[in-house]
Amino acid sequence: MSTVLLEQQTVLPPAPNHARDALDKLAAVLTAQQGQGHAALVGPGGDRIELPAEVYEALRQVVAALKGGYAITLAPHTTKLTTQQAADLLNISRPTLVGILERGEIAFEKVGRHRRVMLSDVLEYQQRAKQKRQETLREMTQEAEDLQHVDGFDFTGR
């Protein structure tokens, strides 16, 4: 039995040929049969094993991305990122990320002069930031609704 090396790996979409046709067929099957029983994988030797729902969903997302022409990167959560990789993941500039790191919002370690961050820490920060934005939006919406009820204030501008 071989062991799988857990490292970051980028997969490019296939060129338009037979592999692309197979990917299109696979995407159609994964989408059409989503939620209908248990998916299974048949190995080259004919061994059949049921796929956990999480693996099936991951496979469906990978196939959809590749079919859309996107490269995908598979990375275990223990992966360490450079500040540029983390900034790219968060869709922010590297200097903005460095500020976030220095404020202690994401843990990091220094390797020589370079900072490294754990992928899992970046993803947790991303989730916290999303929740904070949603809460701020709820508060702003509530304040706007409250202003509508103030006597003499026409929120609609009419």
Side-chain angles (χ1 to χ4, degrees):
M1 176 178 271
S2 66
T3 58
V4 177
L5 181 61
L6 295 178
E7 62 182 33
Q8 183 170 314
Q9 178 183 356
T10 298
V11 180
L12 300 174
N17 60 14
H18 175 70
R20 184 70 173 201
D21 293 340
L23 188 64
D24 289 343
K25 290 176 186 174
L26 181 57
V29 168
L30 290 172
T31 301
Q33 297 179 5
Q34 187 176 358
Q36 297 179 5
H38 295 281
L41 178 66
V42 178
D47 295 333
R48 183 180 189 281
I49 185 165
E50 280 193 13
L51 294 178
E54 298 83 0
V55 173
Y56 179 82
E57 179 58 25
L59 178 61
R60 193 182 68 71
Q61 290 182 29
V62 166
V63 170
L66 292 172
K67 183 178 179 306
Y70 297 100
I72 57 146
T73 300
L74 304 173
H77 275 243
T78 58
T79 298
K80 290 183 182 176
L81 304 175
T82 65
T83 52
Q84 188 61 60
Q85 290 170 322
D88 290 345
L89 178 65
L90 295 172
N91 200 26
I92 59 177
S93 70
R94 195 189 66 74
T96 299
L97 176 74
V98 169
I100 291 168
L101 297 177
E102 294 300 327
R103 287 192 303 273
E105 296 179 46
I106 300 176
F108 70 95
E109 66 180 34
K110 275 207 163 179
V111 179
R113 308 179 358 223
H114 303 284
R115 295 172 188 87
R116 295 291 183 261
V117 294
M118 297 295 292
L119 173 60
S120 57
D121 291 337
V122 174
L123 295 175
E124 287 172 16
Y125 170 82
Q126 188 178 45
Q127 186 62 34
R128 286 192 317 267
K130 180 181 177 182
Q131 289 172 345
K132 184 177 179 180
R133 284 191 307 272
Q134 289 173 338
E135 180 59 31
T136 300
L137 182 57
R138 274 192 291 276
E139 290 172 6
M140 291 172 64
T141 302
Q142 184 60 50
E143 288 175 14
E145 289 174 0
D146 292 346
L147 284 174
Q148 282 183 311
H149 301 301
V150 174
D151 289 338
F153 183 79
D154 184 5
F155 184 72
T156 61
R158 291 184 223 156

